[in-house]
Amino acid sequence: MKKISLVFRIWRQKSQLSKGQFVEYTLKDLSTNLSLLEALDKLNEELILNGDRPINFDHDCREGICGSCGFLVNGQPHGPKDATTICQLYLRNFKDHTTLTLEPLQTKTFPVIQDLVVDRSSLDRLIMSGGFCSDDVGKAPDANFFKVNQTDAFSSFQTATCIGCGACIASCRNASASLFVAAKLAHLGQLPQGQLLRSKRASQMKHQMLSEGFGSCSNNLDCEAACPKEISANWISWMNREDD
Ligand code: SF4
Ligand code: FES
């Protein structure tokens, strides 16, 4: 088993109101089979044993499907590896004695809560603004009741893979939520079940983007590069044609 030593330069901030700073930690003899989050777990065990405050970071599934992890590794949301969430980033991707700078996703729409954890509730409000169905629809219909052709099903699924991590927003110089909202709209808007509220959903979500303070898309495509699910920025053009 290969072992490496890494220097972690981590943003430490006790609360939203306190001033933060980078603190350096060196971890030796780390198995390259560890994920970056597992290395942080190891560091936290040491901090706790020494009576220090552990580093706060978000995570849940650790399988790349929940979207809760996510911070900057050397300035890049989810780190240097394409199409990879932070929980799926393994130490074998780094050279021995590398310094890794870990800091929270940086945008005014995601205020820091503590250390690497940010408040992404603006994304929840965006989703809620899309509305929900409160009709009594009776029993669950058969899975094949609505015919969906293979092309539409595949295309819809490609956008449904958005995990709501917010990397697209944090990577955008305008903090635009366009890729996230486009993915959500395209996911539902390509299926027969999503047609009833399609236009209303688009206009409500676009309006919410503005009121939350997200910026406009200026086609830099950093969102697409940062997206761990490789969602294409072409969906933003698709979104712009919705609700017209
Ligand atoms: S579009 Fe990609 S980067 Fe943006 S929230 Fe969804 S999965 Fe994350
Ligand atoms: S912890 Fe769920 S996507 Fe990373």
Side-chain angles (χ1 to χ4, degrees):
M1 191 195 309
K2 210 177 153 205
K3 301 266 186 178
I4 56 171
S5 299
L6 291 170
V7 178
F8 290 93
R9 233 180 118 242
I10 302 177
W11 184 256
R12 303 298 322 258
Q13 185 173 337
K14 246 186 185 166
S15 72
Q16 221 160 46
L17 298 177
S18 59
K19 209 166 163 263
Q21 60 173 3
F22 282 106
V23 179
E24 223 170 82
Y25 307 91
T26 301
L27 287 184
K28 292 181 181 156
D29 290 331
L30 292 166
S31 159
T32 51
N33 290 334
L34 289 180
S35 73
L36 185 61
L37 295 191
E38 285 165 342
L40 289 180
D41 291 339
K42 219 167 148 30
L43 174 57
N44 275 347
E45 277 166 24
E46 285 179 21
L47 290 173
I48 292 167
L49 285 175
N50 292 334
D52 294 328
R53 184 172 68 78
I55 293 145
N56 210 333
F57 59 92
D58 261 334
H59 60 100
D60 190 4
C61 69
R62 297 201 179 199
E63 291 181 342
I65 51 175
C66 76
S68 53
C69 63
F71 45 78
L72 303 183
V73 180
N74 293 346
Q76 283 180 278
H78 292 294
K81 199 161 182 283
D82 286 347
T84 308
T85 54
I86 208 103
C87 56
Q88 294 289 290
L89 189 60
Y90 288 85
L91 301 190
R92 54 183 166 266
N93 292 295
F94 303 106
K95 289 203 175 96
D96 200 11
H97 299 296
T98 306
T99 298
L100 299 179
T101 299
L102 312 185
E103 53 190 319
L105 296 178
Q106 302 211 0
T107 150
K108 68 176 169 41
T109 50
F110 296 158
V112 174
I113 296 175
Q114 192 181 80
D115 300 330
L116 304 175
V117 177
V118 295
D119 177 358
R120 282 176 285 186
S121 52
S122 52
L123 299 186
D124 298 334
R125 290 189 294 274
L126 268 178
I127 292 284
M128 283 191 287
S129 72
F132 56 92
C133 180
S134 56
D135 295 331
D136 181 357
V137 291
K139 285 185 186 166
D142 287 344
N144 294 328
F145 183 79
F146 287 107
K147 299 270 182 269
V148 184
N149 72 51
Q150 177 82 25
T151 316
D152 289 346
F154 181 71
S155 184
S156 171
F157 184 73
Q158 277 185 316
T159 49
T161 55
C162 168
I163 53 174
C165 63
C168 47
I169 297 156
S171 66
C172 174
R173 66 180 180 188
N174 295 336
S176 169
S178 294
L179 189 62
F180 169 71
V181 171
K184 297 298 168 199
L185 291 175
H187 160 204
L188 296 168
Q190 295 181 88
L191 295 174
Q193 297 90 330
Q195 300 310 307
L196 192 61
L197 296 171
R198 182 169 166 179
S199 175
K200 194 172 167 204
R201 186 183 304 112
S203 95
Q204 288 173 178
M205 289 184 83
K206 285 177 176 183
H207 182 266
Q208 187 69 23
M209 269 199 282
L210 289 177
S211 50
E212 289 287 343
F214 291 106
S216 309
C217 172
S218 53
N219 292 314
N220 285 102
L221 304 187
D222 283 335
C223 55
E224 185 180 283
C227 177
K229 297 297 163 185
E230 298 187 297
I231 293 173
S232 163
N234 289 339
W235 289 109
I236 298 174
S237 319
W238 183 94
M239 172 183 75
N240 290 337
R241 294 193 295 274
E242 288 291 284
D243 90 322
D244 283 347

